[in-house]
Amino acid sequence: MSGFDISRSDKNEVSVLHLSGFLDAHTVNRFENALQDLLKEDRYKITVNLKDLDYISSAGLGVFMGFIEEIREKGGDIKISNLSPKVYKVFDLLGFPALFDICEDEQEALNKFNSAQ
Amino acid sequence: MKKRTALTYNLKIAAATENLEIVRDFVHKLAIKAGFEEEVAGQIELAVDEACTNVIRHAYNNNRRRKIDIRVLLDSDKIQIRISDTGKGFEPEALPKPDLKAYVQSSKRGGLGIHLMRSLMDDVEFRFNPTKKNTVTLTKYKRKKTA
């Protein structure tokens, strides 16, 4: 079975969600819940590291869109890092690079958050 | 010139998101068998996932007792996947290409899947006959047709 996993690590004010496996309409609730938990804790600076994500469908992309407005209103952001070419293509087809900060790696995302403080 | 006979493969599956993985594997293997490269097979697999997700969520309202029929046809120049359901139809032609900024502002999430299907496949055709049979037919040519 191809699964999906999500782990979280907090680096000072920034929370990093690390997604792995297959993000589709079946697994998307877990990603949504993880973001919801961050908002409940008033953590709005979020990096989503996709280094180990093998697959994403529009169900997964919809979650980024569903949360970004609220997070930016609170002064935060979702920065997305370490996209494989396959995953990047899906983001690109839907025009995400114009709306989201897509970073080469997690460190770049963290640096951007830190330099913006 | 004698044309090679097309091969067809069928999968009938409960309309549940946990089955998307089975659908993707089924379609991916057949795309590779048809001679598509790995990257293109991945795109075909994603387009079919989007079509089935729409059926599960919108045509059947997540009722897992309902069934989705997937028929894959392979012939010398293309792969064609027909996804059928007997749920309520909808009018995709009425959906404009999503304006992402407006989407973000309204926190809406629908419509992206149809846009992806159209971007990834050469032909996408919807036929609706609500509660009887709705079909989405996705076609990818081995060599893209020139106009």
Side-chain angles (χ1 to χ4, degrees):
Chain A
M1 292 287 280
S2 52
F4 172 73
D5 210 358
I6 185 161
S7 63
R8 168 182 163 181
S9 58
D10 292 343
K11 300 181 178 178
N12 298 318
E13 276 199 302
V14 183
S15 291
V16 180
L17 294 178
H18 182 269
L19 312 191
S20 59
F22 292 71
L23 182 57
D24 64 7
H26 188 57
T27 56
V28 74
N29 286 352
R30 292 173 59 198
F31 178 35
E32 204 159 9
N33 292 341
L35 284 171
Q36 205 63 263
D37 288 346
L38 290 175
L39 300 202
K40 276 186 209 152
E41 294 172 34
D42 295 324
R43 297 187 67 90
Y44 301 108
K45 294 180 179 175
I46 301 163
T47 295
V48 181
N49 183 332
L50 302 183
K51 179 167 130 336
D52 296 311
L53 192 74
D54 297 304
Y55 178 87
I56 189 165
S57 70
S58 70
L61 290 146
V63 174
F64 286 99
M65 295 209 311
F67 279 87
I68 191 65
E69 187 81 347
E70 182 183 351
I71 285 170
R72 285 185 179 154
E73 276 170 10
K74 302 277 187 183
D77 196 16
I78 301 178
K79 298 188 191 297
I80 309 164
S81 78
N82 301 78
L83 287 79
S84 68
K86 178 184 167 186
V87 168
Y88 181 82
K89 181 171 172 76
V90 185
F91 276 80
D92 194 34
L93 281 173
L94 291 177
F96 272 55
L99 286 174
F100 286 84
D101 195 353
I102 310 258
C103 301
E104 195 68 30
D105 55 29
E106 191 179 311
Q107 194 56 52
E108 183 190 333
L110 293 174
N111 290 345
K112 282 183 175 172
F113 274 124
N114 292 331
S115 64
Q117 277 174 9
Chain B
M1 197 167 72
K2 198 179 173 185
K3 239 187 157 180
R4 268 180 56 193
T5 320
L7 299 169
T8 59
Y9 301 82
N10 293 285
L11 176 67
K12 187 169 191 158
I13 202 157
T17 53
E18 72 219 46
N19 289 335
L20 288 170
E21 176 187 351
I22 294 166
V23 172
R24 290 197 301 264
D25 287 350
F26 174 69
V27 169
H28 189 102
K29 285 197 172 81
L30 290 174
I32 295 290
K33 180 182 169 70
F36 288 96
E37 289 180 9
E38 184 65 37
E39 184 186 344
V40 181
Q43 294 169 5
I44 296 167
E45 170 191 348
L46 174 56
V48 175
D49 175 323
E50 297 293 347
C52 291
T53 297
N54 277 345
V55 171
I56 294 167
R57 284 182 166 176
H58 305 300
Y60 288 150
N61 281 330
N62 295 298
N63 181 348
R64 51 189 301 129
R65 290 195 302 271
R66 307 298 295 273
K67 297 281 190 289
I68 306 176
D69 272 304
I70 297 146
R71 190 207 65 171
V72 180
L73 177 146
L74 307 183
D75 70 16
S76 57
D77 69 334
K78 66 179 177 297
I79 183 170
Q80 189 169 67
I81 305 107
R82 191 187 66 198
I83 297 112
S84 310
D85 68 82
T86 54
K88 58 178 184 188
F90 69 110
E91 198 46 75
E93 302 304 331
L95 284 175
K97 187 179 167 183
D99 172 347
L100 280 184
K101 280 192 176 155
Y103 257 62
V104 165
Q105 278 154 10
S106 64
S107 298
K108 279 186 189 162
R109 302 186 194 177
L112 293 181
I114 287 172
H115 178 57
L116 265 187
M117 288 190 295
R118 287 185 170 139
S119 303
L120 295 167
M121 302 300 283
D122 294 325
D123 282 325
V124 179
E125 190 190 342
F126 296 89
R127 281 177 192 268
F128 291 101
N129 194 354
T131 73
K132 293 194 172 71
K133 189 176 183 181
N134 308 304
T135 62
V136 184
T137 305
L138 308 170
T139 307
K140 189 83 172 178
Y141 294 97
K142 290 185 185 168
R143 286 211 172 87
K144 199 165 182 175
K145 273 184 175 175
T146 48

